[in-house]
Every structure is written in C-alpha cells, then in structure tokens.
Amino acid sequence: MNPLLVLVRAHYMRLWRSKAPLAIALMGPLLIVLLAGLSFDTAAPLGLRVGVVVPAVSDLSNQVISALRDNRMTVQDFIAEAACSQSVQTGENHACLLFSSPFGLSESNNTVTILIDGSNLALAGIITEGLQQPLEGQSIAISTNITREMLSALAHARQQAAEGKAVIVKLTTTQDSALRILAASKQSAQALAAPVAVTDISVDAVRAATLTLRDTTGTTLKQSIPLLRNTLFVISNASAQVNASNATSAERDAINARLANVSSQVNAALNSAIALNTTLNSSDVDINASLIIIGDQLAQAKTQLAATATKSGSIIQEFGTLEAQLNEALVSITSLQRVLDTIESSTSVRVTDPSRISQPIRPVVQPLAGRSRLATIYPVLLVIVVTFGGLLIAPSIVHMERHAGAQLRLSLSPASSDIVAIATLLTGLGIVAAQAFIVVALSALLFPGTIAAPISTFVVLVLVGALFVTLGAALSHVINTEESALLATLMVGVLLLALSGIIIPTPWMPSLVGALAAYNPLLLAAGIIRQTAVFGTSFYAAAGFVTLLIATLVVLAVGAIALAVRRGVTLDDIMQWQKRK
Amino acid sequence: MAESQPVRSFVAGALARGMSKQDVRQLLLQAGWPKDVVEDYLGKVTLQEPSVRASVLQCRGVTKRGRKGTILADVELEVGKGELFGIVGAGGSGKSTLMHILAGALAPDAGDVKLLIEGASVSVSRDASARRHIGFSPQQPSLYDDLTAFENLVHFGALYGLSEKNQKSTALSLLKTVGLVGQQDMLVRDLSAGQRKVLDITCALVHEPAVLMLDDPATELDPAQQRQLWAMLGAVARKGTAVIIASNFLADIEEACDRIGILRNGRIAEIGRPDDLRVVYSHDFEIRVRTESEDYAQLAQQLTATAAKKIRKEGHHLIVHSPDPAECLRVMLAVLGKAKIVSIEVKRPTIQEVFES
C-alpha cells in the first residue's frame, strides 16, 4: 500500500479510537446546522416575549399590539413602567414597550419607547418591524391627505397666476407703446433742439449768390445766341446743298424735313435765350427788393428758432425722467411676470394621485430565494462551519502526529517528511469533506429548498475546508505546541471573521482594511456559496472565485509542506519525547 | 623511565594490530618487563580495538553541539556485520544523542555515519535510503498508543514496503518470538511498560534491518524478559544483523556484546572486548574502610605515598583503589593504630564500578 494511504489509514484509525475529537468534528456541524436552521427558519415561531405599558388605550395602540401578536410575539400587559422594566431585567420578557398617552399619530404622542437589554439589541429590529406594520398604513393615509391639500392649493395658485399673467401682459404691451411714443417724441424734440447755424444765413450771401448765378447765366446766354443763329445758318445751307444734290426727291424730302425740324427747335431755343437774356437784364431791381424781404423773414425765423431750441431742451429733460420711470415700471412688471410664469409652469408636476407624492418610493424587501433569513445567512454559516472545522482540525492532526509516541519511529521510516505532511492534509481534508457532506445533506433533508445546488455547494465547501485545513496545518508546523497552534488558528479564524463583513459591514471599514477584506478567503467563499447554494448558479459561473480559491490553496499547501519538511525532527523534539515518557 | 618509550610503542603497535590488552600484558611479562611498568602503560593506553568482522557501520569524527555545549566530540567507531556492539556511558555522556545520530534521527554538526551495504557506502545523515537498513528502538518506546500491538507492527511493516501478506505474517511471527501473541489486539497504552519496550524492539526488527540499534533496551524489562531479549538479539546477530546497544549499565551488556565502547564526556574513551576492559579496569582492588572518627586525612596521605592508585571519600567510607591490597591493609593498620575500625572490605570492582568511579 502507498505510504500516503498507510499514514492516512492510521490517522483515521487513531481518530476513530479517540472518540471525542471525531465526535466534535462531525457532530459539531450537525448541531450547528440544526440549531441555526431552526433559529433562522421563519416558519418556526419566534417566541419573542414583549411587555407593554399602555396608559390610555387607543385604536392605534390596539392595532399595534394586535400586529405584535400577529408576528408570533407573546404580549403581556403591564400597568406600571417599573414592573414592565423589571420583567426585562429578570428575563421574563425580552423587551418592554412604553406607549405615549394617548397613543396616536400626532407629534406629541406618537412615541413607543422600547426598553431592551443591550445584549438583545438585535431583537429591537424585529419588534420595530412588528410596530411598523399598523403605523405604516396610518402614516400613509395622513401623508396622502396632506399632499392632496397641498396639490389643491397649488392648482388654485396656478389659476390665479394665469389670470394675473393676462393683466400683466396687457400692462407690458401698453408700457411698451408708451415707451415707443416717448422715444419718438424725444427724437423729435432732440431734432428741434439741434443747433441750427441761423447766424450763418445772411441776405448778402443770398444776394451774392443770386448775382453770381445771374451773371453766369447772362454770360452763357450771350455766348449761346450767336451760336444758335449760326446754327440756323448752317442748317439753311445744308438744305440748299441737299436740294442741289443728286439725291432722289424722296430722299431730299426726308432730309429736308429733318433739317426743318432741327431748325425749328434751334429757333425756339434762340427765342428762349433771347427772352431770358432780356429778363435777366431787367431783373436786377426785383432781386434786390426780394432780398430785402427775405432778410426780414430770416431775422424773424432766427428769433423763433432760438425760442424753440430753449423749449426743446426742457422737453427732452422731462422726456428722460419719464422714460426712466417707465423703464423702472417695466422691470417690476417683467419680474412679476416671471413669478407668475413660474407659478404657472408648476403644471409640469403632473401628479394626479396624491399617494405618489406622500410615498414616492415604496421599498419592498423580498428575499430572492427560499426562506427569508435562512437563505441569506445560511451560506455564511456553512462557510463558518468548514472554516473553523478546517482551522481547528489541522492543528489537532498535525500535533497528534508530532506528539505521537511513534513520531520518532515514523521519522526514521522511509516515509519522508513531505509524505507525512501531505497525509496530514489529506486526513484533515477527509474530515472537512465529511463535515461538508453532513451539513449539505442535513440541509437538503431538514430544510428542503435551502440549498439550490447541493453538489456545487459541497464541492465549494470542500475546497474552502481544504484551504483552511492547509492554513491551519501551515500555522501548526510553525508553532510547537498544540495549544498555541490552536490559539493561533482560532485567532486567524476570528480575524477572518471580523474582516468578512459578517460582524462589521465592509463598507464601514477603513479603505485599506476594506480592500484587504475583499481578498478574505472567508468572504470569497461565502460569496461563492451564496451563488451556488442560494441562487443555484452553476459552479462554472463562479469560476473566477473558484480559481482564486484553488490558487490560494495550492500556494498554502506548498508552503505547509515546505514548513513541515524544513522543521523535520530536532534535538528538542527528541529531548521532549524522552522527558514526556 | 628510559624504558617507557619502547613499552609504549609496543603496546600501541600491538593494540593497533588487533591484539587484546590481556595478550599484550602476557607478552610483555613473558619478555621480562617489570610488572608495574607494564600495568602502568597498559592502564594509560586507550583501547581502540577494531572489529574483526566486515564493517557495516562506520562513524567518523561525529560531533554534535547542544545549547549547553558539545554533546559529542569527534566520535569514531566501527561495527561489523553480525556483531553485538555495546555503548556504555553515564547519564548525560551523550549515548542517546550518539544513537540518534547513528540511526539517522539527528544530523551531526561534523563528521558522518556511513552504512556499508552490498558494497556501497551510504551516508545515514544525508541519504534517506539508508534508513531502510536501520532498525532503531529508542530509550522510550516509539509506538502509537492508540493502535494495537499488531496494528503497530503492520503499520510500520507497510511503511517499510512489506507486502500486505508479509506485514501480517511477519507481525505474527515476531509477536510469537517475543511472547506477545496474547497481547496482539491490546492497545499499546494498555500494555505494561516492559511489554511496550519489547514491542518497540520488535517494531525495529519488522523490516529485517542490517543494523539494529537499541537505546537502553533492558530498562523496564523483568529478568525473564531480559533473558529473552538477549537470546533474541543473539539470534538476530547470528543472522548477520549488526546490533548496537547503548546502556547505562555495563553489567547488562558485558556478557552479551562482542565489543564495548565506553563513552565519557562525549568521547569514546575505550573500545574493546569485555574481557579486555575487565582486565584493564580490574587489576586494581577496591578497599572500603570506615572508622569511628571518619578522619581519613593522614591515612589517605600515607596510602597515596605507598600503595594506593586512587583514593576518594564516599559517604562514611574511604575508598582506595590499589593493585596491592595487602600493602594497603598494612598501612591502614599502622596509621589507624588504636582508632576503631568499624568495617573494612576488600573486593575486585566490576567494570561498571570502575567506569562509574
């Protein structure tokens, strides 16, 4: 037979004969599963005993007490607070509830004080849960009524705002028109007030300009008249030449007709020029007389313009003041309009059912699988069983072998240290496998449906157990006495438990500790078990976690074997064996 | 003293050639050397008598240091095939440590132990395969208390590679040899101390080792078991197994062993045949005297000046070692005079007593 199997066989024979450790190793998980299963099974009565002190009975207090009884709690009435409190101290009741008098939903009398022993603080949650059920309905009704009133008020305000907004719009339009008229008037006034160079307009300048115009025109006329006459002569000659030419009569008649037309036009121009020239020569006296009249009129206009400019300045100033007041009024109107717009836009809260506002989110806690508390906590419990089973069985086996009377003979046998170390691990693994089998089989038998995928769960549990057997063995090879090794493995177990999120939720931990906790094998294992056991996820779906678990297991196993080989048999061991006997 | 050098050379040479001390003494006396010179040098020369058999185990320069100093220093010994070799030493002399090193349970700090098996030399401390040829029974039985006698034998037989059939037949045969057939199904923890010791020795034999090492095997055994043990070891040795026995009590092994090594302060002080050792240590007589006054100062002085080789006070007695007890008695009577002698005893000491002195 292979030395490995020979050693493992001897381990089991010896464990079988030392009944206590084997019984603890195998019966322990059985007991835990039974107790935990029954404790967490919500089908079983909770058995909570609660004392109540109700100074003045009300409908609500009756509803609450009735709800507690519906939650399988035993309710005992007390008249005095002291007696009720005393019943908690003596353990007669788990908690004492003191109701306000009279118990209702108003702020002044809605208190229920729960007197509870600190060690049973977790029960407060269950009691509160029981209390909340009747209060929740009342609370929702009140909130709904209040919200309905609020919505009605809001609708009324919205209507008022809409009406006010129409007036405001009209007012704004009028205001705008006024401002526009005012702006035009102001512009006109400014135009009136514009500086006109009245003083620059003089009669002499008009006269000089007029005379210059007359002289220029006269000169032109004088030069034009001879030229026009000469033109007539030329046309006459041209007609004669046409008549004398070889042109056909029709051609001659056509040309002569055109020449006659030109001649008549030139004649007309000549006559006009002569007449204009005559007029110019006789108009000197009239121009002077006219210029005197114009000068008088200009002086009057100047006076009137100066008076107008003075009045325009005053009007412009008044226009400015008016414009400022109008603008200010417009800003106020705009602001008011914005407010009304906001009120009116509250129509965007398109709520018709007040209950949606009074309870916008209604959280409903519903377990994803199986029985409520059991399904959630059970995987962790399974992991804890194999974790501590593995951690505690490993030092027992290592030290059972190390301190066996036959240790020296074994160390001298052909079975090398590594074979002995592997045999130790295999024995521990066998026991943990038995533990895993017991818990899975019992769970499946006693709490059907609790574990969705028993085989995957069993495999993962064995892997987890192997990991902790190896960890325990590694520690035991470093530590000389069984007591110290057990203490060390226990400490490691507690540390892992503390970092598992079971005692302290991981989000509460400092970031570094939380990061470390993420790699806690117990946490990883619980995660895998939760997936496989509760949700029935395939073993392969959790392949990442399983691979990490196996890798850690291999590293630890190599370490444990190396430590065992390195330790070997020392002079101290021999001395201890001699002394022990 | 001019004669001393040739005597020393002769003695050393003779012993190196394998002659016993008794033969050397005889030769020297026949050659006419003065008896006191011969005795003096034979007494000073350390015996290192080699085995006349083919070596199966060689221990060379083995040194082991412990927390409180050196436990073994440069230990040299050789054991032949089929030889019964005894190692004797007082408590704390390093016997058990030496036995553990010879068995391969402990590695020496210096030196090496080699097995010479089938023409090959295998280091016990470095080559694990050597363990297959060694059977070791430590001072305290090394057994599984929660297995039966039979299961222990079968378990170790299996570890040494015996077939399943051989495991059981060998176990039964050995149990029959040592008289434990009736106890074969008893758990070891329910056996008597003597039975456990016998079973432990049996376990060391289960794989028919080439070298059997027993640390203090006679402890816990009753006289009948002891006789059975020596008979069994004789039979084992006759089959060719080298047997090394360590004991605090020379008397236990001086009859059975072919050679004996005396371990003193971590060193092999003597190795020789029991007869040789007895001769070396027994040429002095021991005189134990007790007076009423117990004032031995003057007597010790006179005895030292005349016939005594070694004097010590032990309890109420003065112990004198001398090759000439008659002269010692004469001096005692002369010195003590009227002082009342309570008791006086003259005897030849055992090797054990000399060794312990």
Side-chain angles (χ1 to χ4, degrees):
Chain A
M1 192 187 281
N2 187 300
L4 201 59
L5 298 178
V6 172
L7 290 167
V8 173
R9 181 183 64 180
H11 284 156
Y12 285 125
M13 286 167 75
R14 295 168 62 205
L15 280 169
W16 181 250
R17 283 183 184 141
S18 49
K19 309 280 185 197
L22 197 67
I24 293 167
L26 298 181
M27 296 299 286
L30 190 146
L31 206 64
I32 291 169
V33 167
L34 279 176
L35 288 174
L38 290 173
S39 303
F40 289 112
D41 187 358
T42 48
L46 286 169
L48 262 178
R49 297 183 303 276
V50 180
V52 292
V53 180
V54 188
V57 175
S58 66
D59 286 346
L60 193 56
S61 68
N62 284 337
Q63 283 176 30
V64 167
I65 290 168
S66 173
L68 292 175
R69 288 203 170 99
D70 289 345
N71 280 317
R72 298 177 301 282
M73 297 182 205
T74 307
V75 181
Q76 187 182 0
D77 289 313
F78 286 89
I79 295 166
E81 179 188 335
C84 189
S85 171
Q86 181 73 20
S87 75
V88 175
Q89 288 173 25
T90 57
E92 187 185 346
N93 285 311
H94 291 110
C96 174
L97 309 187
L98 308 177
F99 287 78
S100 299
S101 176
F103 185 61
L105 288 171
S106 67
E107 198 176 345
S108 58
N109 63 354
N110 62 352
T111 309
V112 179
T113 306
I114 304 172
L115 301 178
I116 200 156
D117 177 12
S119 60
N120 283 331
L121 213 55
L123 296 178
I126 298 169
I127 295 167
T128 312
E129 202 176 304
L131 286 173
Q132 272 176 345
Q133 287 169 6
L135 293 178
E136 195 178 18
Q138 297 280 344
S139 172
I140 291 171
I142 289 168
S143 300
T144 307
N145 286 338
I146 292 169
T147 311
R148 187 173 287 119
E149 290 299 322
M150 280 173 62
L151 280 175
S152 170
L154 183 64
H156 182 69
R158 219 161 38 211
Q159 191 184 349
Q160 294 285 318
E163 287 170 6
K165 197 183 165 193
V167 175
I168 291 293
V169 168
K170 195 176 173 184
L171 194 61
T172 308
T173 313
T174 310
Q175 193 83 354
D176 270 346
S177 302
L179 272 172
R180 269 199 301 277
I181 293 164
L182 185 65
S185 304
K186 196 178 170 186
Q187 202 174 357
S188 303
Q190 280 169 340
L192 282 173
V196 178
V198 179
T199 49
D200 293 341
I201 303 169
S202 66
V203 175
D204 293 338
V206 173
R207 183 185 290 125
T210 307
L211 289 177
T212 303
L213 180 63
R214 191 199 64 188
D215 289 345
T216 308
T217 308
T219 306
T220 306
L221 286 172
K222 279 173 186 168
Q223 289 170 351
S224 301
I225 289 169
L227 284 173
L228 288 169
R229 281 180 181 143
N230 192 39
T231 304
L232 286 175
F233 178 72
V234 169
I235 293 167
S236 174
N237 281 343
S239 182
Q241 285 173 1
V242 169
N243 291 329
S245 67
N246 296 326
T248 63
S249 152
E251 286 172 346
R252 280 195 301 269
D253 289 340
I255 294 166
N256 284 331
R258 285 180 198 157
L259 289 173
N261 188 28
V262 172
S263 179
S264 66
Q265 286 176 8
V266 172
N267 254 330
L270 180 62
N271 290 334
S272 297
I274 292 166
L276 186 60
N277 192 37
T278 308
T279 305
L280 281 174
N281 289 333
S282 63
S283 62
D284 276 355
V285 179
D286 297 337
I287 287 168
N288 284 332
S290 297
L291 285 171
I292 289 164
I293 293 163
I294 287 166
D296 291 342
Q297 285 174 345
L298 271 174
Q300 284 174 7
K302 272 184 189 177
T303 308
Q304 283 173 354
L305 278 172
T308 304
T310 307
K311 283 181 182 174
S312 292
S314 173
I315 289 165
I316 288 167
Q317 199 173 354
E318 284 171 5
F319 278 166
T321 307
L322 187 59
E323 189 180 32
Q325 286 171 351
L326 280 172
N327 275 327
E328 200 175 334
L330 192 61
V331 167
S332 301
I333 290 165
T334 310
S335 174
L336 184 60
Q337 191 178 19
R338 208 174 292 130
V339 171
L340 289 173
D341 280 345
T342 307
I343 294 171
E344 196 185 28
S345 69
S346 65
T347 51
S348 61
V349 182
R350 297 181 190 284
V351 178
T352 51
D353 181 3
S355 64
R356 289 194 184 176
I357 295 177
S358 62
Q359 198 182 19
I361 299 168
R362 191 173 179 212
V364 178
V365 179
Q366 187 179 355
L368 284 170
R371 301 173 188 203
S372 59
R373 293 193 180 89
L374 184 63
T376 320
I377 299 170
Y378 211 67
V380 180
L381 190 75
L382 296 183
V383 173
I384 289 173
V385 168
V386 292
T387 296
F388 279 90
L391 277 174
L392 297 178
I393 201 72
S396 299
I397 299 168
V398 168
H399 286 275
M400 179 182 80
E401 193 60 272
R402 188 186 296 167
H403 296 127
Q407 173 61 18
L408 179 61
R409 185 167 304 290
L410 180 65
S411 73
L412 291 173
S413 75
S416 53
S417 304
D418 50 350
I419 294 289
V420 176
I422 293 169
T424 309
L425 292 179
L426 284 179
T427 306
L429 183 60
I431 292 172
V432 169
Q435 286 186 331
F437 179 78
I438 288 171
V439 294
V440 173
L442 271 179
S443 303
L445 200 67
L446 299 177
F447 310 108
T450 306
I451 295 180
I455 295 172
S456 296
T457 305
F458 173 73
V459 172
V460 175
L461 278 179
V462 171
L463 271 175
V464 173
L467 181 77
F468 288 106
V469 163
T470 315
L471 181 63
L475 285 169
S476 305
H477 288 307
V478 177
I479 298 164
N480 276 328
T481 65
E482 185 177 355
E483 293 78 9
S484 306
L486 275 171
L487 201 63
T489 50
L490 204 60
M491 289 303 292
V492 169
V494 170
L495 186 69
L496 291 176
L497 198 62
L499 290 178
S500 66
I502 296 163
I503 299 170
I504 309 162
T506 44
W508 292 5
M509 294 175 186
S511 55
L512 183 64
V513 181
L516 280 175
Y519 294 97
N520 182 353
L522 204 149
L523 195 66
L524 290 176
I528 301 169
I529 297 285
R530 188 172 285 115
Q531 284 186 28
T532 54
V534 179
F535 303 120
T537 310
S538 155
F539 184 74
Y540 299 102
F545 284 128
V546 175
T547 308
L548 188 63
L549 206 62
I550 292 173
T552 315
L553 173 63
V554 170
V555 170
L556 272 175
V558 170
I561 294 165
L563 283 169
V565 172
R566 183 173 165 268
R567 190 183 184 283
V569 177
T570 64
L571 191 58
D572 285 344
D573 288 336
I574 289 168
M575 294 303 152
Q576 275 182 3
W577 292 326
Q578 302 289 345
K579 282 177 190 168
R580 191 165 55 87
K581 295 286 179 179
Chain B
M1 295 300 289
E3 300 145 326
S4 63
Q5 187 57 40
V7 176
R8 186 180 298 174
S9 301
F10 175 79
V11 170
L15 292 174
R17 284 194 298 278
M19 288 179 73
S20 70
K21 271 193 175 181
Q22 199 173 12
D23 294 341
V24 172
R25 180 190 290 111
Q26 201 69 30
L27 278 171
L28 288 172
L29 291 174
Q30 282 173 2
W33 286 95
K35 190 183 175 187
D36 57 337
V37 172
V38 171
E39 293 299 340
D40 181 36
Y41 280 93
L42 271 178
K44 286 178 181 171
V45 170
T46 302
L47 279 176
Q48 290 295 337
E49 190 155 345
S51 172
V52 293
R53 301 162 195 259
S55 287
V56 70
L57 182 140
Q58 287 177 343
C59 172
R60 296 279 178 256
V62 165
T63 299
K64 184 74 183 175
R65 285 176 282 275
R67 285 181 190 158
K68 294 176 183 174
T70 302
I71 300 167
L72 295 173
D74 201 24
V75 172
E76 300 264 343
L77 61 86
E78 204 166 313
V79 182
K81 191 176 179 185
E83 184 179 18
L84 272 158
F85 186 86
I87 297 173
V88 183
S93 61
K95 280 191 314 300
S96 284
T97 305
L98 177 60
M99 290 298 277
H100 282 89
I101 289 173
L102 294 179
L106 278 179
D109 293 328
D112 198 7
V113 179
K114 285 182 177 171
L115 280 186
L116 307 167
I117 306 286
E118 295 162 359
S121 169
V122 186
S123 170
V124 171
S125 52
R126 285 194 287 271
D127 192 340
S129 68
R131 294 176 185 175
R132 289 185 178 277
H133 305 290
I134 295 172
F136 180 48
S137 171
Q139 202 168 357
Q140 299 296 340
S142 184
L143 300 163
Y144 287 116
D145 290 343
D146 32 20
L147 295 184
T148 65
F150 181 76
E151 285 167 350
N152 265 285
L153 286 169
V154 168
H155 176 72
F156 286 108
L159 283 182
Y160 277 94
L162 267 64
S163 69
E164 202 152 341
K165 189 180 171 187
N166 274 349
Q167 292 163 23
K168 290 178 180 172
S169 62
T170 306
L172 284 171
S173 165
L174 284 169
L175 287 169
K176 195 174 176 184
T177 305
V178 297
L180 287 177
V181 176
Q183 288 77 32
Q184 67 172 21
D185 292 327
M186 282 174 72
L187 293 178
V188 167
R189 60 169 169 253
D190 297 331
L191 296 175
S192 71
Q195 287 169 332
R196 278 203 293 270
K197 187 70 185 172
V198 169
L199 180 65
D200 191 63
I201 295 166
T202 315
C203 273
L205 279 166
V206 76
H207 59 293
E208 297 182 348
V211 181
L212 176 65
M213 301 178 191
L214 310 174
D215 191 359
D216 220 355
T219 317
E220 310 284 1
L221 300 187
D222 60 34
Q225 285 174 323
Q226 283 191 27
R227 278 196 300 277
Q228 199 174 24
L229 172 70
W230 299 128
M232 185 182 75
L233 292 179
V236 168
R238 278 194 294 279
K239 284 182 183 172
T241 301
V243 182
I244 303 172
I245 306 162
S247 177
N248 286 327
F249 306 104
L250 199 63
D252 289 347
I253 60 172
E254 61 183 333
E255 292 302 323
C257 290
D258 299 316
R259 287 189 305 144
I260 290 170
I262 294 175
L263 194 64
R264 188 176 289 152
N265 298 325
R267 292 175 185 275
I268 293 287
E270 316 276 1
I271 292 179
R273 286 188 283 269
D275 286 349
D276 296 342
L277 291 171
R278 205 174 289 119
V279 168
V280 168
Y281 289 110
S282 66
H283 63 274
D284 289 336
F285 288 85
E286 185 182 278
I287 303 127
R288 298 169 68 89
V289 61
R290 182 181 177 186
T291 64
E292 266 187 355
S293 64
E294 294 185 13
D295 178 10
Y296 304 118
Q298 194 187 350
L299 177 61
Q301 195 178 0
Q302 286 296 318
L303 284 169
T304 306
T306 54
K309 284 179 75 175
K310 199 186 283 179
I311 297 174
R312 72 176 192 278
K313 193 179 175 204
E314 190 178 285
H316 302 292
H317 294 86
L318 185 72
I319 314 293
V320 181
H321 288 262
S322 169
D324 192 351
E327 178 62 14
C328 284
L329 287 170
R330 191 188 61 73
V331 172
M332 282 178 185
L333 291 170
V335 173
L336 293 172
K338 292 176 182 175
K340 193 176 178 182
I341 296 172
V342 177
S343 68
I344 190 162
E345 184 188 358
V346 180
K347 67 169 188 172
R348 188 183 286 275
T350 64
I351 299 173
Q352 180 73 32
E353 285 168 331
V354 173
F355 165 71
E356 284 178 349
S357 69

